[in-house]
């Protein structure tokens, strides 16, 4: 412990305090320690002042009353063991306290009398300070932990005893108070708003108000937010007295909305009792909650709402939030034939798009609910991408006009990884939607599983804490509390443009669906539910008892909606067909009008444009001589300029020319994925980095022309599922944009398979929703191991919808475009930069939109033969589905003994081996650049070109059970109208896509090349 004598001794080594006097004072205290503490901790003891201090200390030892009270306090604290720097307290200022500060005297409880004597004053001060700090601790405890004991569960299954609740929240802070202290008045700190206009409250009232704010129907998690302004903003809206008071009109509106929500479910239950509809019974408050969020947001300027949700409650949301015509909903329950395209989907997966007037704000709003498969949270990133795109095209750079609302189930929100992948995008510059409102309909059960068995976290919403999103838990059977939370959440999002979560704790009155028996697995819960009146009954009774409405008025509200439903049902019975187009969530107004779906112009570009783009992407920033470029990159740029002079393009340059030419034509281009700015294989370099200045960059494609469209190239987070879903959503908003997602390696799309299967491959068939999204998947067997070789080409081909046994009878000039029109997606494996250039531009030139799956190269990026002349990209040129042999074999086809069909990189290996064996005249090599839709017409031309007895071979570098073999074999047989027209050459079947041994890889490659030319 620090002692004044030892301090003085250290400062003045030639002098010491009087031993006899010191001994008098230290009799009951341990001797002072060696002088090891820093004397500088007492800044006033320096120079000659130490002599003065010593004299004062000696006087104090004789008689404490002989020195000023401030010195008495100082010496007492030092003698009591205060550490260095803690014994001294500066005197109180006479100036007016600054904002958010309080004078020392404010720490003393109101009404506390003055103590006589320094010792008693010191004791009183310490008690007052300790009490005040305890009060601060109590307030902070409720703010941090009050939610743990809030009355959130309408079933009250896990209600904690009062004693346990108190211990959980305040812990030991109340132990220093007794019953008499409850009437003691304490000054309120600036960190709470429970006082309203009052600056001080009795302790009992402080605790009571904190209980009302944090431990009743609302539990708030927000104290982990590291922004003081945001925390204070939330406190003010949760703690202020009277915050939950509603006017009579507001209560009547809430009752009417609850009546509609409940009435819709009961109407469906009566009319279609055995139909699955995944109703909202037990969570009906969701409907007025969503409508209230839309009302508040509309009043704050939001014009468009993009929403995503799973199946539970979807029909009710469509009916009562979006106001989808009820007769269209009821028609889905009838077994009617579909009048338009598409195979359709079950009614509780369908989306919609509506524009209507918000009656409360008198403003027009647009609402879209994105269609969703049974993969509960799969639509989350799609919604975010669609929202971001709408903000982008509106120039809504802060999210003031467009916002997203995501609905979740409790088990899915905590259990599905795509939730985290989506939330994690919320603050990334290229992916933020400037705040999303997440609503969790917490049924406290996942299908048949108890939440205690489905998550490790206390709440299902804990994943949102990673982005500092406030979380509002609320009892779903307290509709006014739910409305207040929704108001706060909507204001939060539109004030701070950050995510927020509303956890509506409710229950599921039926089983997983209406014909499921929940008592098998949850008898205790469902016995409780059977005894629990529905929310409409409870809330209407409350309003009737308080005189807000009469019983007759309530019955009239219920009967009116019942009549509306009956009239809609009668209208639906007159329908003889249903239309999938009525459920489209992303309509493209005007895009299809006036277009011939079977006409498309060529995709070539004038050479001047190619050269201009080539020179720009091959040059440093103009007018920026001080922009220091990496020497390795400078070599890449120099090579590009050389290629422009030679009128050739490699893969990266052809891609830049495709993008740049579209930008010139006013088409927005967006390329997203991991490391896309540089490119996984260091080939793209669309963003140059100043080597001397952090974050100083230059993107040539953004500076090609003064009136060009915007080019967005976005390095993404290390996510496939979330980011691919995001880009899919982005592609749904505007058809006049080329949206591309590139995998770091092709097989990384594995983790995004749900988006590929449920949205990309089948989206148009299920939901008549087109997308031109392009996937760039690096693919090729190059000895890089099992995980960096295959983009799983076979999976995409398996999902293609063209019939292998049907040779389309299309006219020659319409064959390619009609195939594309009828397909569900396009799969290509280009081997030349020119074809890559054209297939990218074709995505925009098509009169419709189809997803494009591209197997992109790795080693071909720098292969000397993988270059294209400007002649293959000029005006009048287009994508070539099949690249025939152009060598000696094609000039003398009757001499050909073998025709090898292949696709992608393996062509160059075959070509090299053919040259080594001097078999250019005997062997023709034909490349299939577009695999699906299968080019029946052009393959037939090639088969007819060569002798009928020529050996027809399919060579691929993938294993036999992988790659294109299983897809192309039956289609070759259909083309030739005979079986066994083509035989397989390649690697044997394998469980792994590729070997992990470089030696084994080389041996396998040599074997397949040898087999390709063997026997000649």
């Amino acid at each position: 412990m620090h002692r004044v004598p030892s301090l003085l001794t250290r400062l003045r080594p030639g002098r010491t305090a009087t031993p006899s006097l010191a001994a008098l004072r230290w009799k009951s205290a341990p001797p002072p320690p060696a002088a090891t503490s820093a004397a500088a901790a007492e800044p006033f003891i320096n120079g000659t002042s130490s002599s003065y201090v010593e004299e004062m200390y000696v006087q104090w030892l004789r008689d404490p009353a002989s020195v000023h009270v401030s010195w008495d306090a100082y010496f007492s604290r030092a003698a009591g063991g205060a550490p260095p720097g803690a014994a001294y307290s500066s005197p109180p200022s006479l100036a007016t306290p600054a904002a958010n500060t309080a004078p020392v005297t404010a720490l003393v409880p109101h009404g506390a009398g003055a103590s006589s004597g320094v010792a008693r004053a010191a004791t009183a001060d310490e008690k007052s300070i300790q009490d005040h700090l305890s009060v601060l601790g109590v307030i902070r405890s409720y703010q941090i932990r009050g939610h743990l004991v809030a009355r959130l569960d309408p079933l009250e299954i896990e209600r904690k005893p009062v004693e346990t609740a108190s211990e959980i929240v305040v812990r030991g802070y109340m132990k220093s108070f007794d019953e008499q202290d409850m009437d003691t008045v304490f000054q309120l700190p600036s960190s709470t708003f429970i006082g309203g206009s009052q600056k001080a409250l009795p302790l009992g009232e402080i605790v009571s108000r904190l209980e009302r704010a944090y431990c009743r129907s609302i539990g708030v998690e927000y104290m982990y937010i590291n922004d003081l302004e945001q925390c204070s903003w939330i406190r003010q809206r949760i703690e202020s007295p009277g915050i939950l008071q509603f006017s009579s009109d507001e209560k009547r509106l809430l009752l009417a909305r609850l009546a509609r929500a409940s009435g819709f479910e009961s109407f469906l239950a009566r009319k279609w009792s055995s139909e699955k509809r995944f109703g909202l019974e037990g969570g009906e408050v969701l409907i007025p909650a969503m409508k209230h969020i839309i009302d508040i947001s509309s009043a704050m300027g939001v014009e468009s709402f993009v929403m995503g949700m799973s199946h539970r409650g979807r029909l009710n949301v469509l009916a009562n939030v979006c106001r989808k015509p009820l007769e269209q909903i009821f028609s889905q329950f009838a077994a009617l034939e579909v009048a338009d395209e598409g195979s359709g989907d079950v009614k509780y997966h369908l989306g919609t798009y509506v524009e209507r007037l918000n009656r409360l704000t008198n403003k027009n709003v647009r609402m879209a609910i994105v269609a969703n498969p049974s993969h509960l949270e799969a639509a989350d990133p799609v919604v975010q991408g669609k929202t971001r795109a709408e903000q982008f095209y509106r120039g809504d750079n802060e999210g003031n006009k467009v916002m997203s609302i995501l609905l979740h189930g409790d088990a899915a929100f905590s259990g599905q990884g795509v939730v985290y992948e989506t939330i994690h995008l919320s603050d990334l510059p290229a992916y933020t939607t400037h705040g999303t409102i997440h609503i969790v309909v917490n049924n406290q059960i996942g299908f048949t599983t108890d939440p205690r068995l489905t998550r490790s976290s206390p709440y299902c919403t804990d994943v949102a804490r990673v982005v500092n999103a406030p979380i509002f838990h609320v009892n779903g059977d307290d509709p006014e509390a739910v409305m207040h939370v929704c108001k706060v959440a909507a204001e939060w999002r539109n004030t701070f443009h950050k995510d927020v979560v509303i956890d509506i704790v409710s229950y599921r009155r039926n089983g997983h669906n209406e014909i499921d028996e929940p008592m098998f697995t949850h008898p205790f819960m469902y016995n409780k539910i059977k005894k629990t009146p529905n929310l409409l009954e409870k809330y209407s009774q409350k309003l009737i008892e308080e005189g807000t409405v009469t019983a007759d008025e309530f019955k009239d509200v219920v009967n009116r909606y019942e009549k509306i439903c009956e009239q809609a049902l009668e209208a639906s019975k007159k329908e003889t067909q249903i239309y999938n187009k009525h459920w489209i969530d992303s309509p493209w107004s005007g895009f299809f009008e006036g277009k011939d779906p079977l006409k498309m112009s060529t995709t070539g570009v004038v050479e001047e444009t190619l050269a201009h783009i080539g020179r720009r992407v091959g040059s440093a920033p103009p007018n920026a001589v001080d922009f220091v470029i990496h020497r390795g990159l400078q070599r890449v740029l120099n090579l590009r300029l050389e290629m422009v002079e030679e009128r050739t393009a490699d893969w990266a340059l052809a891609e830049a020319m495709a993008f740049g030419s579209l930008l010139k034509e006013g088409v927005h281009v967006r390329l997203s994925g991991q490391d896309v700015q540089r490119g996984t294989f260091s080939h793209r370099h669309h963003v140059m980095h100043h080597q001397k200045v952090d974050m100083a960059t230059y993107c040539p494609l953004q500076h090609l022309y003064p009136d060009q469209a915007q080019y967005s190239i976005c390095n993404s987070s290390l996510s496939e599922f979330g980011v691919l879903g995001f880009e899919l959503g982005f592609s749904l908003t505007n058809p006049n944009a080329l949206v591309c997602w590139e995998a770091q390696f092709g097989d990384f799309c594995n983790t995004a398979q749900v988006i590929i299967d449920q949205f990309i491959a089948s989206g148009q068939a299920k939901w008549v929703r087109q997308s031109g999204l392009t996937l760039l998947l690096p693919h090729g067997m190059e000895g890089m191991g099992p995980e960096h070789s295959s983009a799983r080409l076979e999976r995409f081909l398996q999902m293609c919808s063209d019939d292998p046994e049907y040779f389309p009878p299309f006219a020659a000039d319409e064959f390619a475009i009609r195939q594309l029109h009828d397909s569900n997606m396009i799969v290509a494996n280009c081997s030349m930069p020119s074809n890559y250039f054209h297939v990218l531009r074709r995505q925009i030139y098509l009169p419709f939109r189809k997803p494009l799956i591209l197997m992109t190269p790795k080693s071909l990026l720098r292969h000397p033969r993988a270059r294209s002349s400007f002649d293959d990209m000029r005006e009048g040129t287009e994508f070539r589905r099949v690249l025939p042999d152009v060598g000696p074999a094609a000039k003398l086809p009757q001499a050909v003994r073998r025709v090898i069909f292949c696709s992608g990189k393996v062509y160059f290996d075959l070509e090299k081996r053919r040259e080594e064996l001097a078999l250019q005249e005997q062997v023709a090599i034909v490349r299939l650049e577009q695999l699906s839709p299968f080019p029946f017409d052009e393959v037939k031309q090639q088969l007819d070109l060569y002798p009928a007895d020529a050996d027809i071979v399919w060579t691929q570098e993938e294993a036999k059970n992988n790659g294109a073999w299983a897809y192309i074999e039956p289609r070759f047989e259909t083309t030739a109208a005979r079986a066994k027209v083509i035989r397989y050459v390649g690697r044997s079947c394998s469980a792994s896509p590729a070997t992990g041994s470089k030696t084994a890889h080389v041996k396998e490659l040599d074997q397949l090349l040898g087999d390709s030319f063997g026997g000649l």
Side-chain angles (χ1 to χ4, degrees):
M1 286 186 274
H2 180 62
R3 297 289 184 265
V4 173
S6 62
L7 172 62
L8 298 176
T9 302
R10 289 199 307 275
L11 292 175
R12 300 182 62 201
R15 295 185 60 189
T16 59
T18 306
S20 58
L21 294 177
L24 295 175
R25 192 60 179 172
W26 299 111
K27 280 181 180 179
S28 60
T36 56
S37 300
E42 306 285 6
F44 64 93
I45 305 180
N46 57 73
T48 57
S49 65
S50 61
S51 298
Y52 173 73
V53 173
E54 184 178 9
E55 293 175 4
M56 296 289 291
Y57 176 67
V58 171
Q59 291 182 39
W60 177 77
L61 289 174
R62 293 194 183 101
D63 181 10
S66 66
V67 298
H68 190 272
V69 67
S70 62
W71 281 110
D72 181 26
Y74 170 76
F75 293 136
S76 296
R77 292 191 186 101
Y88 172 72
S89 296
S90 59
S93 172
L94 297 178
T96 303
N100 298 322
T101 64
V104 173
T105 54
L107 300 180
V108 181
H110 286 238
S115 302
S116 59
V118 175
R120 280 181 294 170
T123 302
D125 286 346
E126 289 174 6
K127 176 69 166 66
S128 298
I129 293 171
Q130 185 60 48
D131 287 351
H132 184 76
L133 293 176
S134 294
V135 171
L136 289 177
V138 168
I139 293 172
R140 186 171 177 82
S141 294
Y142 276 96
Q143 293 169 342
I144 295 174
R145 294 184 294 276
H147 60 88
L148 293 174
V149 297
R151 302 170 190 172
L152 302 176
D153 183 6
L155 303 177
E156 296 188 346
I157 291 176
E158 285 193 35
R159 184 73 177 272
K160 295 181 177 64
V162 175
E163 297 79 9
T164 305
S166 176
E167 185 59 30
I168 289 173
V169 178
V170 299
R171 297 181 179 173
Y173 288 113
M174 292 294 289
K175 291 182 178 178
S176 60
F177 299 113
D178 53 29
E179 192 65 32
Q180 294 178 342
D181 291 321
M182 293 297 106
D183 295 328
T184 303
V185 177
F186 287 88
Q187 190 81 9
L188 294 174
S190 60
S191 60
T192 185
F193 292 87
I194 57 172
S197 59
Q198 297 172 281
K199 302 302 180 185
L201 289 173
L203 178 58
E205 183 64 18
I206 290 174
V207 173
S208 176
R209 294 192 183 189
L210 290 169
E211 288 275 349
R212 286 197 294 270
Y214 290 105
C215 301
R216 294 208 174 171
S217 294
I218 299 173
V220 192
E221 292 183 87
Y222 68 99
M223 288 294 283
Y224 46 80
I225 298 174
N226 48 26
D227 186 297
L228 180 60
E229 178 192 359
Q230 294 174 7
C231 287
S232 295
W233 189 94
I234 293 173
R235 289 189 195 108
Q236 187 171 13
R237 285 154 179 79
I238 295 298
E239 297 179 352
S240 297
I243 204 73
L244 280 173
Q245 292 178 357
F246 286 76
S247 67
S248 296
D249 288 343
E250 290 172 332
K251 292 179 180 180
R252 283 193 289 268
L253 175 62
L254 174 53
L255 180 65
R257 288 175 169 177
L258 273 176
R260 282 177 169 263
S262 185
F264 180 81
E265 298 295 351
S266 60
F267 185 83
L268 295 185
R270 290 197 308 275
K271 302 298 181 182
W272 297 280
S273 58
S274 61
E275 280 270 0
K276 289 183 182 180
R277 54 186 168 82
F278 295 94
L280 202 55
E281 289 97 334
E284 297 95 336
V285 75
L286 171 68
I287 301 305
M290 291 183 69
K291 293 177 74 71
H292 198 48
I293 288 171
I294 292 170
D295 293 341
I296 299 297
S297 300
S298 173
M300 298 183 76
V302 178
E303 300 171 355
S304 180
F305 300 86
V306 184
M307 296 175 279
M309 65 182 299
S310 57
H311 47 273
R312 187 164 310 284
R314 180 178 282 260
L315 295 179
N316 208 324
V317 171
L318 288 167
N320 288 312
V321 176
C322 298
R323 294 296 181 92
K324 185 77 175 173
L326 291 175
E327 53 268 28
Q328 291 183 12
I329 296 176
F330 296 157
S331 294
Q332 288 289 324
F333 286 88
L336 302 179
E337 291 186 357
V338 178
D340 52 1
E341 65 169 309
S343 57
D345 200 349
V346 292
K347 49 190 167 289
Y348 40 82
H349 287 171
L350 300 175
T352 197
Y353 173 87
V354 297
E355 296 186 30
R356 67 176 182 84
L357 181 70
N358 184 296
R359 296 176 183 174
L360 259 65
T361 62
N362 202 34
K363 295 180 179 180
N364 287 318
V365 295
R366 297 192 293 182
M367 290 182 284
I369 293 185
V370 173
N372 192 55
S374 283
H375 298 68
L376 302 176
E377 301 289 340
D380 294 356
V382 180
V383 168
Q384 299 299 68
K386 183 173 168 59
T387 303
R388 171 65 182 232
E390 197 169 329
Q391 291 172 348
F392 174 83
Y393 295 118
R394 280 170 162 250
D396 184 15
N397 297 324
E398 295 182 354
N400 293 320
K401 300 297 182 183
V402 184
M403 67 174 281
S404 55
I405 302 174
L406 288 176
L407 276 63
H408 313 271
D410 50 317
F413 197 64
S414 62
Q416 298 201 348
V418 70
V419 173
Y420 174 80
E421 290 190 38
T422 304
I423 287 178
H424 187 57
L425 299 174
S426 63
D427 281 335
L428 302 185
Y431 302 90
T432 180
T433 56
H434 308 286
T436 297
I437 297 179
H438 301 267
I439 305 175
V440 179
V441 182
N442 189 343
N443 293 318
Q444 307 183 74
I445 191 172
F447 200 160
T448 66
T449 306
D450 190 286
R452 291 168 291 190
L453 304 177
T454 61
R455 66 174 187 263
S456 300
S457 57
Y459 294 110
C460 62
T461 55
D462 284 350
V463 64
R465 293 167 67 106
V466 300
V467 292
N468 278 341
I471 301 170
F472 297 93
H473 308 281
V474 60
N475 189 319
D477 269 12
D478 186 342
E480 292 178 10
V482 175
M483 294 309 105
H484 176 63
V485 160
C486 290
K487 178 177 184 293
V488 174
E491 290 175 347
W492 165 275
R493 187 272 167 194
N494 292 294
T495 300
F496 298 106
H497 296 284
K498 294 178 70 68
D499 282 22
V500 57
V501 177
I502 303 170
D503 177 22
I504 303 178
V505 184
S506 52
Y507 55 90
R508 192 185 66 194
R509 187 166 288 278
N510 300 311
H512 180 64
N513 57 61
E514 286 67 31
I515 58 177
D516 185 49
E517 176 52 73
M519 290 290 287
F520 288 151
T521 55
H522 287 76
F524 181 75
M525 171 183 277
Y526 275 86
N527 277 322
K528 281 259 188 181
I529 291 173
K530 288 178 181 178
K531 299 173 184 176
T532 303
N534 68 55
L535 177 58
L536 180 63
E537 181 182 336
K538 288 197 288 188
Y539 191 61
S540 61
Q541 189 63 36
K542 174 179 179 293
L543 297 192
I544 291 170
E545 289 175 357
E546 69 183 33
T548 302
V549 296
T550 64
D552 290 339
E553 288 173 334
F554 169 62
K555 290 179 182 178
D556 183 57
V557 169
V558 172
N559 292 336
R560 268 186 295 162
Y561 188 69
E562 177 75 14
K563 184 177 180 181
I564 290 172
C565 290
E566 288 288 356
Q567 291 172 345
L569 178 60
E570 290 303 312
S572 72
K573 291 178 180 178
K574 299 176 183 178
E575 299 290 335
T576 59
Q577 295 176 313
I578 58 174
Y579 293 84
N580 288 330
K581 66 182 180 181
H582 290 163
W583 301 88
I584 190 167
D585 55 25
S586 304
W588 291 337
S589 178
F591 176 70
F592 298 103
E593 283 76 7
K595 288 185 180 179
D596 186 337
L598 301 179
K599 294 293 182 182
M600 183 185 72
S601 59
T602 57
T603 51
V605 173
V606 295
E607 186 167 336
E608 180 184 350
T609 298
L610 298 175
H612 173 76
I613 296 169
R615 284 191 290 268
R616 276 299 178 95
V617 298
S619 304
N623 306 318
V625 293
D626 59 339
F627 193 94
V628 182
I629 292 178
H630 191 280
R631 287 181 297 175
L633 177 55
Q634 188 61 60
R635 289 193 294 270
V636 173
L637 300 182
N638 294 340
L639 179 60
R640 289 177 180 175
L641 293 177
E642 291 175 12
M643 285 190 287
V644 171
E645 292 301 316
E646 297 168 358
R647 301 181 64 254
T648 61
D650 64 4
W651 206 272
L653 189 54
E655 178 187 74
M657 290 174 173
F659 289 169
S661 56
L662 290 173
L663 294 170
K664 181 186 179 184
E665 295 165 13
V667 175
H668 171 57
V669 177
R670 177 181 171 93
L671 174 59
S672 169
Q674 297 157 20
D675 313 298
V676 295
Q677 294 181 353
R678 192 203 72 170
T680 300
F681 309 102
S682 195
H683 68 287
R684 183 173 288 120
H685 295 290
H686 282 191
V687 177
M688 304 177 192
H689 290 259
H690 197 307
Q691 297 298 297
K692 303 293 185 181
V693 181
D694 184 40
M695 299 300 289
T697 61
Y698 171 68
C699 179
L701 287 177
Q702 293 176 347
H703 304 280
L704 297 174
Y705 302 96
D707 56 349
Q708 69 172 72
Q710 185 169 334
Y711 177 51
S712 305
I713 182 161
C714 318
N715 281 347
S716 75
S717 66
L718 206 66
S719 158
E720 287 83 30
F721 192 164
V723 175
L724 179 57
F726 187 98
E727 300 309 330
L728 172 69
F730 203 102
S731 73
L732 298 176
T733 300
N734 182 3
N736 296 310
L738 179 63
V739 181
C740 305
W741 176 77
E742 182 175 66
Q744 193 177 69
F745 286 90
D747 58 328
F748 288 8
C749 70
N750 285 346
T751 57
Q753 202 67 45
V754 171
I755 297 296
I756 295 166
D757 289 359
Q758 309 302 325
F759 292 86
I760 295 175
S762 57
Q764 183 175 356
K766 294 190 294 188
W767 307 315
V768 293
R769 182 175 72 187
Q770 295 189 18
S771 167
L773 179 65
T774 297
L775 274 62
L776 308 178
L777 308 176
H779 173 81
M781 308 296 115
E782 297 177 359
M784 300 182 71
E787 274 69 58
H788 289 153
S789 297
S790 175
R792 291 296 190 175
L793 171 62
E794 63 279 358
R795 292 182 182 172
F796 292 99
L797 293 174
Q798 185 185 41
M799 289 186 282
C800 292
S801 60
D802 59 328
D803 188 341
E805 299 177 353
Y806 176 71
F807 194 122
F810 302 149
D813 60 339
E814 292 182 350
F815 197 97
I817 189 71
R818 289 195 64 170
Q819 269 197 310
L820 293 172
H821 180 272
D822 294 347
S823 68
N824 64 318
M825 61 183 183
I826 307 164
V827 180
N829 189 11
C830 300
S831 60
M832 294 301 290
S834 57
N835 249 0
Y836 180 49
F837 167 87
H838 285 297
V839 78
L840 289 174
R841 287 180 51 78
R842 189 179 70 172
Q843 283 295 92
I844 297 300
Y845 275 65
L846 287 171
F848 43 81
R849 291 292 174 262
K850 299 289 178 178
L852 171 62
I853 314 299
L854 272 175
M855 303 293 113
T856 56
K858 294 174 286 187
S859 63
L860 292 193
L861 295 171
R862 295 175 178 83
H863 198 291
R865 295 194 181 187
R867 292 189 180 183
S868 296
S869 168
F870 282 7
D871 293 334
D872 295 326
M873 298 185 285
R874 293 176 57 186
E875 286 179 298
T877 59
E878 61 184 357
F879 177 72
R880 302 177 67 186
R881 295 173 292 151
V882 173
L883 291 179
D885 197 308
V886 294
K891 295 174 182 176
L892 196 62
Q894 62 271 22
V896 171
R897 298 168 57 192
R898 180 171 296 166
V899 182
I900 300 177
F901 286 86
C902 65
S903 184
K905 178 191 76 70
V906 74
Y907 165 77
F908 295 95
D909 297 322
L910 290 167
E911 184 185 40
K912 181 180 179 182
R913 181 60 62 93
R914 181 176 65 172
E915 291 177 357
E916 293 172 352
L917 299 174
L919 293 174
Q920 291 92 330
E921 294 183 356
Q922 294 97 322
V923 179
I925 305 177
V926 182
R927 286 169 278 176
L928 269 61
E929 299 284 284
Q930 176 179 294
L931 292 164
S932 183
F934 188 76
F936 287 99
D937 55 335
E938 295 196 354
V939 169
K940 188 175 189 311
Q941 292 173 13
Q942 292 300 305
L943 292 176
D944 293 344
L945 177 63
Y946 299 103
D949 60 349
D951 184 22
I952 309 299
V953 170
W954 173 262
T955 295
Q956 67 179 34
E957 57 181 352
E958 302 90 353
K960 189 175 183 179
N961 57 321
N962 299 158
W965 169 244
Y967 176 84
I968 65 99
E969 183 191 21
R971 289 165 176 81
F972 263 89
E973 293 179 353
T974 299
T975 304
R978 61 188 174 92
K980 304 298 182 183
V981 67
I982 189 169
R983 66 183 178 89
Y984 171 82
V985 171
R987 290 177 167 90
S988 302
C989 290
S990 173
S992 175
T995 178
S997 166
K998 185 72 173 181
T999 302
H1001 164 76
V1002 173
K1003 184 178 179 180
E1004 291 172 355
L1005 178 61
D1006 184 68
Q1007 179 69 41
L1008 75 86
L1009 293 176
D1011 293 346
S1012 297
F1013 296 97
L1016 295 174

